[in-house]
Amino acid sequence: MLSEIARRPPGLAARPALTSLRGRATRRMGLAAAAVIVAAIVAGVLGTHGGTGAASAAEVRAKLAEGLELGESIRGEYSVRTRDPGLPPRGVRRSSNAIPQVRMPSRFVIGADGSYSSLIIPGGAASGRGVAYDATTGIETWLISGSSGRPIYLRGSNLDPAFFTRYAPEAQLAAWVQGALADRSPPVQEVTFAGRAAWSLTATFRPGETFNEIYGARVDVVVDRETGLVLRVVQYAYDTNRWTSIASVRNLKIGEPTNAGDFTLPKPRGVVERRHDYGFRRLPVAAAAATIGYRPLLPTNTLGRTLSDFAVAKTSKFPFPGIPVRRDIASARYGRGAAIITVSTYRGPLTDLTSLFGGEYSETVHPTHGPLVDSVAYLSTSQLGGGVFAAFADGLLVQITAPSAGEALTIANSLRATE
């Protein structure tokens, strides 16, 4: 539809199709965090206060989960710095995420109701680009590059509830760090970062480990003690003594009032304006079958989250080129903020699943309960951007996203056809 859109906004993940862009992003390690500050600042900003007994890694992981569900507004600035990791040592595979893919400094706001915005800070070629979503109106605005050289201002309506993506850098960093610390228990130190009490952890990954390919040889993480928000991530691609990317969140402000202007991008002069209707309509779950021709598959175990959005579409297409039209879609969102769970189903061929999701960074899984038993199913193993589950059963493609792979599989095993 919008063939003039040349590419996704620099530094921002594109809104993915449920079994296409999201699956493809998972395979390519697409949702990642990244970078900031100079090496001299790295050494000076952190002042250690106390030993390793301040907290355990498990306590920090639990606090990270709380940060994902923080019921207050968050404002901050994301800054990034990277340097060339060079060639990997002989016999060592190049780390997929040695250099961050979110490379642009930005200002972000996350609303307590699920609204968000992320705007690239002026100063470079991509200045002014960004994305914003207002949960009260259901309108999403983008400012993106066009093939004509003129920016495109895209205003989307009737969005898919399951197309929540963690645009704001803070949310991306949190999901990324959760993956890095998933099975690690490194010592924890109490530190101060940018005037805030924090915890500092270092995790190392040996060559040959899957995590080494994803995160590099070493990752240093700083987590805010009060909120569980991630304040800094430093990556080391091949040498544990040479950093290759540093990401940090500064000027963090929590609980400040927000307004509609925070979640709508201003429209600059000279842009090409486009509007797009994604085709979703909000209606009761019990009425969905009359539109899509089948009873939606929804979880009986929502891990404590309540249904926050549900919609169906007879057909839905994207304003971005190369994404196939989907048909007879039912999508649900549970919870709010960055810790949401989404469930989506639509009619499509098995090739959609195997070509776009099955791959190097996924594994075949076997659901043990419900309608997906004996289905073809995959689970993300990338550790980036939370857990992604996808399956094909009785002509339906099913996709689930959750903060972790384990949660996504739990949701899959609890799916049932609604009455």
Side-chain angles (χ1 to χ4, degrees):
M1 178 180 175
L2 287 180
S3 58
E4 70 267 41
I5 295 177
R7 56 189 171 85
R8 69 184 62 176
L12 295 172
R15 176 173 291 281
L18 214 50
T19 60
S20 56
L21 284 188
R22 183 63 183 261
R24 189 179 305 158
T26 302
R27 287 181 61 188
R28 296 178 183 177
M29 317 300 294
L31 284 179
V36 321
I37 45 191
V38 296
I41 297 178
V42 173
V45 167
L46 289 178
T48 300
H49 304 294
T52 59
S56 69
E59 289 173 303
V60 175
R61 288 194 294 266
K63 198 66 179 181
L64 279 167
E66 290 181 23
L68 284 174
E69 298 184 273
L70 193 67
E72 298 182 88
S73 67
I74 307 169
R75 294 177 186 269
E77 292 185 0
Y78 172 81
S79 52
V80 54
R81 185 181 179 183
T82 64
R83 60 185 180 186
D84 186 355
L87 296 175
R90 183 180 298 274
V92 175
R93 186 172 177 174
R94 175 177 283 275
S95 297
S96 302
N97 198 37
I99 295 178
Q101 297 184 26
V102 181
R103 302 185 186 184
M104 297 293 178
S106 61
R107 295 188 181 94
F108 65 89
V109 185
I110 305 174
D113 63 354
S115 301
Y116 55 82
S117 67
S118 184
L119 184 67
I120 293 174
I121 295 173
S127 295
R129 304 297 193 268
V131 62
Y133 170 69
D134 189 334
T136 61
T137 63
I139 300 296
E140 182 184 70
T141 49
W142 287 78
L143 188 59
I144 53 186
S145 301
S147 58
S148 67
R150 294 174 64 190
I152 294 172
Y153 186 82
L154 178 62
R155 183 181 176 89
S157 60
N158 296 312
L159 307 176
D160 185 339
F163 283 173
F164 177 93
T165 49
R166 298 174 173 90
Y167 290 114
E170 171 56 49
Q172 294 191 32
L173 284 170
W176 190 91
V177 167
Q178 279 192 316
L181 299 179
D183 64 350
R184 304 282 159 158
S185 296
V188 180
Q189 292 184 318
E190 292 185 354
V191 300
T192 300
F193 182 84
R196 299 187 65 90
W199 290 309
S200 175
L201 305 85
T202 293
T204 57
F205 309 103
R206 295 186 301 274
E209 288 186 299
T210 300
F211 277 29
N212 182 278
E213 297 175 12
I214 298 171
Y215 296 103
R218 169 180 165 186
V219 174
D220 298 340
V221 175
V222 177
V223 177
D224 188 63
R225 269 186 265 167
E226 178 188 0
T227 64
L229 300 175
V230 176
L231 301 179
R232 192 187 72 170
V233 174
V234 184
Q235 281 181 258
Y236 304 73
Y238 309 120
D239 184 340
T240 57
N241 295 313
R242 183 181 185 275
W243 65 265
T244 49
S245 71
I246 311 173
S248 110
V249 173
R250 293 181 177 274
N251 297 324
L252 198 65
K253 298 178 181 178
I254 299 167
E256 285 196 347
T258 59
N259 55 54
D262 289 320
F263 306 116
T264 302
L265 292 186
K267 184 174 66 175
R269 293 181 179 179
V271 300
V272 178
E273 184 172 1
R274 294 286 185 267
R275 294 176 182 267
H276 184 74
D277 187 332
Y278 287 88
F280 281 82
R281 299 295 180 265
R282 271 66 188 165
L283 44 71
V285 173
T291 297
I292 60 177
Y294 64 90
R295 292 184 296 162
L297 300 180
L298 295 178
T300 55
N301 179 4
T302 62
L303 302 176
R305 297 158 176 85
T306 58
L307 182 65
S308 56
D309 198 5
F310 177 82
V312 300
K314 191 64 182 172
T315 62
S316 181
K317 57 184 178 181
F318 289 79
F320 305 102
I323 305 174
V325 174
R326 296 174 302 136
R327 306 183 187 281
D328 298 327
I329 315 145
S331 287
R333 181 189 300 176
Y334 296 85
R336 298 185 184 278
I340 65 163
I341 289 169
T342 68
V343 179
S344 184
T345 57
Y346 76 95
R347 296 190 194 279
L350 176 61
T351 52
D352 273 14
L353 176 69
T354 54
S355 66
L356 296 170
F357 193 90
E360 184 177 6
Y361 297 109
S362 66
E363 64 181 3
T364 302
V365 293
H366 303 283
T368 56
H369 298 85
L372 299 186
V373 171
D374 298 326
S375 68
V376 178
Y378 296 101
L379 188 66
S380 167
T381 59
S382 75
Q383 304 294 329
L384 300 177
V388 183
F389 169 94
F392 180 85
D394 298 326
L396 288 179
L397 285 143
V398 181
Q399 184 153 349
I400 298 166
T401 68
S404 70
E407 288 172 307
L409 188 57
T410 296
I411 292 293
N413 281 318
S414 79
L415 291 183
R416 301 292 183 271
T418 57
E419 296 298 332

